[in-house]
Amino acid sequence: MAPRDFPEIDPEARLADLLERAARHFPSRGVAVFDGRGRRRERRTYPEVLAAARRASGRWSALGVRPGDRVLIGLPTSWSWLDAWLGAVLLGALPVAVAPGAAMGAARAQLEKVDGLVERLGVRFALVGDAFRGEAEAAGLRRASEAALGVGELEGTTPDPLKGASEQRTRSASEDVAFLQLTSGSTGVPRAVMISHRAALHNAWANDRAIGVPHGAPTHRWADSMVSWLPLHHDMGLVGCLFLSIYAGLDLWLFQGTTFLARPRLWLEHLGLHGTAFAPAPNFGYQLCLERLTEKDREGLDLSSWHDAMTGAEMIRPETVAGFCETFAPYGFRPEAFRPCFGLAEGTLAVTFDGKGRGMRTLPMPESAGEGQALGEVVCVGEAIDDTVVRVCGPDGRPLPDGEIGEVRVQGPGVFLGYWNDPGATAEGLQDGWLCTGDLGFLHRGELYLTGRLKDILILRGHNLMPHEIEWQAEAVTGGGGGLRSGAFSVARGTAGEEAVLVVETTAKGPGVLASMAGDIRNRVGRTLSILLSDIVFVRRGRIPKTTSGKVQRRQLRDQYLSGSLDALARFEPPST
C-alpha cells in the first residue's frame, strides 16, 4: 500500500526540502541501484539517501565548491552519481549531468565534449571515471584534465562538518536555478537549460496528478514503485523517475541503460516484483523488448501489476505499441496501460499527458501536412498538465485552429529560465512568455498530436543528436567541410523508428573507392557517436541544397531523399549480419 501520510509540499520549497520530506514521511521507502549486470543491488531508504547526500555535500564543500558553482557529473547510474548530484544541490551548487560515453573514457568525442562543457559552463569540477584525467592529458585537452575529479578522489575527501549539515546549507529561493539540464544526451557541446527549484517541484507534482487521472487519484495514493533503466542524465530519468519517486514516496528501482540493452527481460521482470508499478520508456525500449525477447524469454513474466507504461522522448510508432500489446497480453499487460506523453528539457520534462487511460489513440495525418511527412497515423500525446497551456502556432506566432500543423508552444511554471550564458538562444526559445519547442504538431479537442520536428535535432533511440555531429565525423574521413559538404537527417523506418541517413558530396569515383569510404564513415560514426547509419548516399559536388551563406538545408535535402529526386552516385546500406 502507498503511504497514507502525504503532506503537501510548500510551493516555495526547494529540491533539498523535497528530499528531507521523503526522509521524514516515507522512511521505509527508498532507492535501489543495480550493478552493471543487473544482479547485485544496493538499496537505501530515503533517510539513508539524505544522509549520503549530506556527506557528499560536505565533500564538495571541503574541495572548495561554493553555491552557484557548476559541477559536471559524467558517470553511469550509480550511488556515486546520486550522492554527488544530490550533494551538490544541498550545497547550492549547480550540478549538470553528461552522458558517460564509453565508461567516461577512451572515446575522443567524449573527451572533447567534456572539455567544451568545462569552458562553456565554467565548470569547477568534472566528476568522471578515475582514468579520465590521464586520457584527457594524453589527448592534449587541458581544460578537461584540470577539471577532472575521479570518483575515488571525491569519495575519499573528508566532509566539511559544517557545510555538510543541512542546517548550514545555502537557503536558495524557489525561483533560483536548481540545476542545469543538457539538451543533448549524445556528443558535442549542447545548450545548458536552467531549471528552477519551483519548476522541478511543480513538474513532479503535476506528473503525480496526471498519471493518476485514469485511476481517480494521484499516483501516490495507489502506486508502490517505479522501475527504470533510463539514464539519470536524461530529463525523463532525472525528473520523471527520480524526482517523482521522491515526491510521491515510491520505491525506485534503477538499472543501468546498458543493462537493459543487454538483458531487457530484467526490466519487465522487476515490474512484477514490487507491488503496483509504473515505468516510462521511449518507443525504442518497447521495440527492443519485442525484438529481443523470444517466447521462451517471456516465460514466467507477470505484468499484471504494471499499471501505466508511459512512452515519450521520441516519436511514438503505432506499430510498436500494437505489437507490444499483442505480444505481452498473455503475460498480464493491458493495452490501456500505454500512456503517451510529450515533454522536453526546456519544459523541465512533462508538458502533456494522456489522461483518458484507453491506451494508444491515433488520428490520420492532416491534409495540411507538407511533403516529406512519413507518418500515416499520428499518436495522441494527451492534454497539457496542470497550470500549463499548449498551443500550436503558425510561422507568424499566431495560434492555429484544430487540425492545422504548426509549432508547439508552451506556457507554464515548468518552462525553463533560459540557456546558461546564451542570451541569443534564450531570446529565440522564449518569446513573449512562451516556450517555442521546435516540435511540430496539431491540436484536436484539446489534445496534442505530434507530427515531427521543426528543429534539426535528430532523436534516435530516445537520445538527441545534432546533425552536424554526424556531418563532422563524415567530413573528417572525406576531407570535406569546405567546398564539399555533407547533410544528416532522420527518417521513419516502420517499427524501427527514426534512423539516421547521411548524404555526402564527393569528387571520388569508382564503386570500390566509394564503398571503402562508406565503410570508413560508418565505422567512425558508430565508434564516436554510437549510432548506426541506415543509409549513406554519395552525390556530386554542389548537389546538396544550401543557403546563400553556405548552410546545408537539411529539411530540403530530406525531402529530396524521400521523394527519390536525389541524384545519387551510390548508396550504401548497413551490411547484413
Side-chain angles (χ1 to χ4, degrees), residues 58 61 82 98 152-153 161 219-220 228 342 350 431 459 522 560 562:
S61 178
L82 285 159
V98 62
E153 294 177 86
T219 307
H220 68 264
S228 175
F342 163 63
Q431 298 181 16
I459 302 181
R522 192 180 304 282
Q560 292 179 0
L562 290 172

Side-chain angles (χ1 to χ4, degrees), residues 4-9 21 24-26 247:
R4 293 182 179 180
D5 180 18
F6 192 81
E8 293 298 330
I9 192 162
R21 169 177 167 274
R24 196 165 50 245
H25 293 279
F26 317 123
Y247 172 82

Side-chain angles (χ1 to χ4, degrees), residues 3-7 19-31 43-50 245-246 248-251:
R4 293 182 179 180
D5 180 18
F6 192 81
L19 185 57
E20 291 185 349
R21 169 177 167 274
R24 196 165 50 245
H25 293 279
F26 317 123
S28 63
R29 294 289 177 90
V31 181
R43 184 181 183 274
R44 297 179 186 173
T45 63
Y46 283 122
E48 292 171 331
V49 173
L50 175 60
S245 295
I246 294 174
L250 304 174
D251 278 322

Side-chain angles (χ1 to χ4, degrees), residues 517-563:
M517 190 182 300
D520 291 342
I521 291 172
R522 192 180 304 282
N523 290 337
R524 183 181 179 92
V525 169
R527 184 177 64 252
T528 59
L529 305 181
S530 299
I531 65 169
L532 177 66
L533 294 173
S534 70
D535 202 356
I536 300 175
V537 184
F538 289 100
V539 297
R540 294 184 178 86
R541 180 194 295 269
R543 296 303 173 91
I544 291 180
K546 309 176 188 69
T547 66
T548 54
S549 61
K551 295 180 180 178
V552 174
Q553 296 178 302
R554 298 186 184 95
R555 289 181 62 83
Q556 186 176 341
L557 180 63
R558 179 179 181 273
D559 289 345
Q560 292 179 0
Y561 175 85
L562 290 172
S563 66

